[in-house]
Amino acid sequence: MAEEVEFVSDEDVPYFKKCGFRPTDDTPVSGSTLFGFHTPKRRGALAEAAMSAIHNKTPIHHTQSTQPNDRRKTLKSNKKSKGAEKVVASSNIEKENPATGTQDENKRSSYSLRHRRKAVLLKVYKKGTKGNSNQLEDAHEEFFEQQSSKCITSDHTLSKLNMPRMDQQKLLSHLNQVSSSHPKERFELYHKLQGLFDKWIFHLRNGFNILLYGLGSKRVLLDQFRSSKLSSSVQVVVNGFFPSLTIKNVLNILTEEVLMYDGSFKSVTDQCDYIKQNLCSDKCSEEIFLVIHNIDGSMLRSKKTQTILSLLAEVDTLHIIASIDHINAPLIWNHTQLSRFNWSWFDVTSFEPYREETSYENSLLVQHTGALALSSLVHVFRSLTPNARGIFILIAQHQLDEKDNSSYIGLSFNSCYSKCREQFLVNSDSTLKAQLIEFRDHKLITSKKGADGVEYLYIPVDPATLKQFVEDQQNNNL
């Protein structure tokens, strides 16, 4: 069926009309004839003017005509010159009779119209591309202007809201009253996880360290594992979620509580080497289990801290059982540290709430009372050396003596050094500076320079809480 269809161009339509053909079912008809707009057009002068404007030639006036027998010859010459850009001059055009003059004029007018349309389209295309480039340049300029300008943000914060805030103890009491969801399923899941205890012991005995991951708190599960399987061994528990914990505290526990050594070290690297030498010696045959809650805590994420822990994990008699909760926690270890840790991963999803892990987080919706500050201060104070405790008590007593002085900004470094020398707490100013750095790491003190350029030390705790803390420490020493 497709082979029987015959298409003709718009140029051949006037010729068929002139020859007397009428569109029937079997006659080839152009699509523009059936579906185009049949509006009357003035052919002749306008077409010749357009042709002369494009080709810079004068309009062609046909005064001569050709014989009827030359009709086919004229059609063939016009078809051959259909795709050419040059227009045949009037001197080279064969003479036409009045009957065929109109036909040739229509062909030439259509030819000139096509060139005119091409010229207009080319002009519009160039104009459009130029406009797009200008718009693109404007968009680039607007982008850099927005980036260079300051971002205006709102100054409305939660601290400015006039809403009542509850203290930490009241918040904990309300949280304890909230009923837990799915208690039966969580209880069954907890007992299922307890069945992994023997497998963990097997992995620890074969040189692996245990790393627990999954949704939910793992503190209760690890405590149950310690009490049931490690009760006869030496255990060191580290709360990695504590905000002021440092690797120095962990190493001090191992040297002072486990190895019973009270000496000092130049750096944590030297202290780590001392621990490895003593644990690898033949004198120490007892196994030590280091349980770290949240080894990915904010205070243990540094590369230096993880390197020290990985070096300790290489000791055969020291076993590490740790937990992680951050989704990107494995990214804190490189290949060297992973090879030292030699982790055995276990999924212990428990869906338990993170109550203990989030109890030290600051919230604008919770009013921080002196009781919470006192408990945190006591917890950090216990991890300090005896000389460090004496230095902190000295600064605290001086601050309490000046509590009525509104212009008091802190104890100067020189005064602190003189008082510490009198009580034989330090032997040089470098020792005092090193101890103050540890206080700043634990967020126990703050320091700032006064107008005279001297450094002043201040404990950021309210006087009532600080007074209660000093009295408790004096009563404990008695």
Side-chain angles (χ1 to χ4, degrees), residues 253-316:
I253 294 175
L254 292 175
T255 54
E256 297 175 3
E257 303 296 336
V258 178
L259 301 178
M260 301 299 176
Y261 179 77
D262 295 334
S264 59
F265 301 92
K266 294 182 180 180
S267 62
V268 292
T269 305
D270 296 339
Q271 191 173 1
C272 179
D273 295 337
Y274 175 82
I275 295 173
K276 291 184 64 177
Q277 291 176 1
N278 283 268
L279 294 180
C280 294
S281 62
D282 298 335
K283 298 179 181 180
C284 183
S285 60
E286 189 176 9
E287 292 183 331
I288 302 174
F289 292 90
L290 181 60
V291 181
I292 305 177
H293 297 284
N294 292 99
I295 195 174
D296 58 337
S298 59
M299 301 303 296
L300 299 179
R301 294 177 185 174
S302 63
K303 182 180 179 180
K304 182 179 180 180
T305 300
Q306 294 298 326
T307 302
I308 296 297
L309 293 177
S310 64
L311 292 174
L312 295 177
E314 291 182 326
V315 181
D316 295 335

Side-chain angles (χ1 to χ4, degrees), residues 2 12 18 22 49 68 129 141 243 265 341 354 358 370 381 399 404 408-409 422 466 470:
D12 297 333
K18 195 68 178 178
R22 293 293 181 265
T129 55
E141 294 178 358
F265 301 92
F341 277 117
Y354 296 95
T358 58
F381 188 78
Q399 184 169 326
D404 296 333
Y408 177 75
I409 59 175
E422 293 175 0
L466 188 60
V470 173

Side-chain angles (χ1 to χ4, degrees), residues 397-412:
Q397 288 178 345
H398 186 273
Q399 184 169 326
L400 290 175
D401 296 338
E402 299 291 337
K403 64 179 181 179
D404 296 333
N405 186 5
S406 59
S407 61
Y408 177 75
I409 59 175
L411 177 63
S412 64

Side-chain angles (χ1 to χ4, degrees), residues 187-199:
F187 182 77
E188 294 177 356
L189 183 59
Y190 178 77
H191 280 278
K192 183 180 179 180
L193 295 176
Q194 284 181 337
L196 298 174
F197 288 172
D198 295 333
K199 191 173 183 179

Side-chain angles (χ1 to χ4, degrees), residues 88-147:
V88 182
S90 59
S91 60
N92 297 330
I93 299 177
E94 298 181 359
K95 296 182 180 181
E96 296 181 354
N97 55 13
T100 58
T102 306
Q103 178 183 352
D104 188 58
E105 186 179 355
N106 292 336
K107 291 182 180 181
R108 293 187 180 278
S109 62
S110 61
Y111 178 80
S112 62
L113 285 175
R114 286 200 305 272
H115 280 270
R116 183 185 178 188
R117 289 170 183 173
K118 289 181 181 180
V120 173
L121 289 176
L122 183 61
K123 184 177 181 181
V124 172
Y125 173 77
K126 291 182 178 180
K127 184 178 180 181
T129 55
K130 184 178 180 181
N132 292 336
S133 60
N134 294 336
Q135 293 177 0
L136 189 61
E137 293 178 359
D138 295 340
H140 291 171
E141 294 178 358
E142 291 178 359
F143 171 78
F144 287 108
E145 288 179 359
Q146 292 177 0
Q147 295 296 324

Side-chain angles (χ1 to χ4, degrees), residues 154-209:
S154 175
D155 58 349
H156 297 291
T157 58
L158 291 175
S159 59
K160 292 185 177 182
L161 296 178
N162 295 325
M163 57 182 303
R165 296 189 298 176
M166 61 179 67
D167 55 8
Q168 188 72 18
Q169 296 297 332
K170 189 175 182 180
L171 176 62
L172 293 177
S173 63
H174 283 289
L175 291 177
N176 292 330
Q177 295 177 2
V178 178
S179 60
S180 59
S181 58
H182 306 285
K184 181 180 179 180
E185 289 78 4
R186 287 164 54 188
F187 182 77
E188 294 177 356
L189 183 59
Y190 178 77
H191 280 278
K192 183 180 179 180
L193 295 176
Q194 284 181 337
L196 298 174
F197 288 172
D198 295 333
K199 191 173 183 179
W200 296 353
I201 291 294
F202 177 77
H203 281 257
L204 292 172
R205 300 296 185 189
N206 287 274
F208 292 92
N209 294 305

